[in-house]
Amino acid sequence: MTKDEFSKMSVFVHDARKPLNRISMQAELVKMAINGEVPPEKALASLDKIISSAKDCSNTLTEMTSVFADNISE
């Protein structure tokens, strides 16, 4: 792997971590709602954000795969 490829991969990893962190934070809010610490409406909003963030992460990983697939040398 070249330095340029490693740099590109690092950007993709960073971009994938952002939605994963959002998922973690929103899951904590859902947990709090189940425990009665926050209103149930917040849990529903958090679940929508979890779904959206999972899609964002999937899109980032798909984009990364496409970029690196184009760079495969035989």
Side-chain angles (χ1 to χ4, degrees):
M1 177 177 282
T2 67
K3 285 184 180 183
D4 185 49
E5 290 170 332
F6 181 78
S7 179
K8 286 179 185 178
M9 184 181 68
S10 295
V11 171
F12 283 116
V13 169
H14 178 264
D15 289 347
R17 281 188 177 144
K18 287 190 292 185
L20 290 174
N21 288 335
R22 284 193 309 264
I23 289 167
S24 179
M25 289 180 4
Q26 296 304 319
E28 287 292 331
L29 280 174
V30 172
K31 186 176 175 183
M32 291 171 66
I34 289 170
N35 289 330
E37 299 168 21
V38 297
E41 299 80 28
K42 286 207 176 223
L44 290 174
S46 291
L47 290 171
D48 286 337
K49 290 176 185 177
I50 288 170
I51 293 165
S52 175
S53 294
K55 289 178 183 178
D56 289 345
C57 188
S58 179
N59 290 339
T60 297
L61 294 172
T62 298
E63 183 181 353
M64 181 178 74
T65 302
S66 295
V67 166
F68 286 105
D70 292 342
N71 293 334
I72 294 176
S73 58
E74 295 180 21

